[in-house]
Amino acid sequence: MTCKEFKEILDSYFCDELLVETNHKFFSHLEQCTHCRVEMRAHREIRKRIKAVVLKSPQLQIDPQFERQLRSRLKETALSKPFWRRFSQPSGYLMPALAASVLVLLIGIGLFAFRGTALNVLIADSMFTNRTFLSTIADLTFKAVGDHKDCALEKLQIWESLSSTNYPDKAKFEQVVLRPIRNGMAGDIKLLHAHKCAFEGKEFTHVVLKYNAEIVSVFFDDSNSVPLLVESDSIVSESRAGMQVARFADRQGDLVLVVSDLSEAENLAIARALSDSDNSKRKS
């Protein structure tokens, strides 16, 4: 099973729609592929949050007045004589009782059908949002890795030559990016440059750092192009195209990506230092 095939059946797995044989292939691939394990964890978390939103949706909440009437009717029925004894009563009492029971049943069926239809619509919309979210995240991650290679690494000599010069917002990035990492990690960390950067049509705020002898890119997506469904302190780490990528949402909801060829633990530590900092958002 390839990663593409895995992603195509991921929703079917969560809906218990896979055959036994497909399940075996699914888990066999999962054991061998770190990237798909990360994808699955993110997918599960998104579905969990979508489910919570759906269940709290106003369309699925029972009408309070109907609920009170139904509870009262059920209570009266429970406290009344057993149903079989009602046949011994005059027919004038039997028909209203049967009519009331049928009415309650029909109302209940109608409400159940309405809630079921609303739930199906919301779930369909949620699954579409889920796929859109994952696709956008994957695209941004791919472009961040490409920008790291194309800009930070390919133009490294330029950024090193500019590291000692002053330029707009340099002090700001020293405060909100460089300082939190220095406070949270051991080692020599240096700001080489910070600028607006574009890769394949996507614009980032790109901060180029040097950690010991390795180059690290911190990308900020200022466009709010991702409908983030994760908490601001949740960090996802994965390997992409030979690079380590850690991403999280800052306190303003913007996506932040840390890209490098450091070890996963070191790259994640840099992201965590930024995420934990009160200054994880650049002040404008």
Side-chain angles (χ1 to χ4, degrees):
M1 179 176 290
T2 65
C3 292
K4 181 180 178 181
E5 292 170 335
F6 180 90
K7 293 177 182 178
E8 288 174 349
I9 64 173
L10 194 52
D11 278 318
S12 297
Y13 164 76
F14 282 108
C15 295
D16 293 324
E17 296 175 350
L18 297 182
L19 299 175
V20 174
E21 181 181 353
T22 308
N23 260 319
H24 289 318
K25 294 179 181 179
F26 182 89
F27 284 108
S28 177
H29 177 81
L30 195 63
E31 291 176 359
Q32 301 171 12
C33 183
T34 303
H35 172 69
C36 285
R37 287 199 296 272
V38 172
E39 193 84 18
M40 186 172 180
R41 285 197 297 270
H43 206 88
R44 180 183 286 111
E45 181 65 21
I46 292 170
R47 289 178 66 92
K48 178 181 176 182
R49 295 181 183 279
I50 289 175
K51 181 179 179 181
V53 171
V54 169
L55 292 178
K56 294 178 181 179
S57 172
Q59 295 97 314
L60 300 182
Q61 305 308 308
I62 189 170
D63 181 70
Q65 183 178 358
F66 172 77
E67 183 179 13
R68 286 194 299 270
Q69 293 175 348
L70 184 59
R71 286 180 181 275
S72 177
R73 185 63 58 83
L74 291 174
K75 184 178 180 180
E76 291 175 4
T77 302
L79 295 176
S80 64
K81 294 180 180 180
F83 182 76
W84 64 270
R85 294 190 61 183
R86 297 182 185 179
F87 287 97
S88 63
Q89 302 293 329
S91 60
Y93 292 96
L94 177 61
M95 293 309 295
L98 286 174
S101 299
V102 171
L103 179 61
V104 170
L105 178 62
L106 290 175
I107 293 175
I109 291 174
L111 178 63
F112 179 81
F114 169 76
R115 293 184 66 179
T117 301
L119 180 61
N120 288 336
V121 171
L122 286 172
I123 288 177
D125 289 344
S126 300
M127 290 179 66
F128 175 78
T129 301
N130 185 10
R131 291 192 183 97
T132 302
F133 170 78
L134 291 175
S135 176
T136 305
I137 283 288
D139 182 62
L140 284 176
T141 302
F142 170 79
K143 290 180 178 179
V145 171
D147 203 1
H148 172 71
K149 294 179 178 180
D150 187 64
C151 180
L153 299 183
E154 290 295 329
K155 302 175 183 177
L156 179 58
Q157 290 185 344
I158 296 176
W159 309 135
E160 286 184 325
S161 67
L162 294 174
S163 62
S164 59
T165 63
N166 288 320
Y167 50 86
D169 295 331
K170 179 179 181 179
K172 176 179 68 176
F173 286 104
E174 287 179 334
Q175 174 70 19
V176 302
V177 176
L178 185 61
R179 183 175 178 181
I181 299 175
R182 280 179 172 169
N183 291 340
M185 297 184 64
D188 182 25
I189 184 77
K190 181 179 181 181
L191 173 65
L192 297 185
H193 204 262
H195 52 271
K196 293 290 184 180
C197 199
F199 182 81
E200 295 188 356
K202 176 59 190 172
E203 290 189 358
F204 298 100
T205 296
H206 186 185
V207 182
V208 184
L209 305 168
K210 190 170 187 178
Y211 178 66
N212 294 331
E214 304 298 333
I215 304 303
V216 179
S217 286
V218 178
F219 294 100
F220 296 93
D221 175 27
D222 302 313
S223 64
N224 294 313
S225 58
V226 181
L228 288 170
L229 302 176
V230 296
E231 299 292 344
S232 59
D233 59 353
S234 176
I235 303 176
V236 176
S237 178
E238 64 176 293
S239 177
R240 182 67 65 93
M243 295 289 172
Q244 290 296 328
V245 182
R247 60 177 182 262
F248 63 93
D250 67 15
R251 289 170 175 80
Q252 279 65 40
D254 295 333
L255 186 67
V256 182
L257 302 103
V258 179
V259 183
S260 73
D261 58 0
L262 297 169
S263 68
E264 181 179 12
E266 289 176 317
N267 194 72
L268 189 57
I270 292 175
R272 187 172 292 113
L274 291 172
S275 177
D276 291 344
S277 170
D278 289 336
N279 295 315
S280 61
K281 169 69 177 177
R282 292 88 54 234
K283 308 298 183 190
S284 56

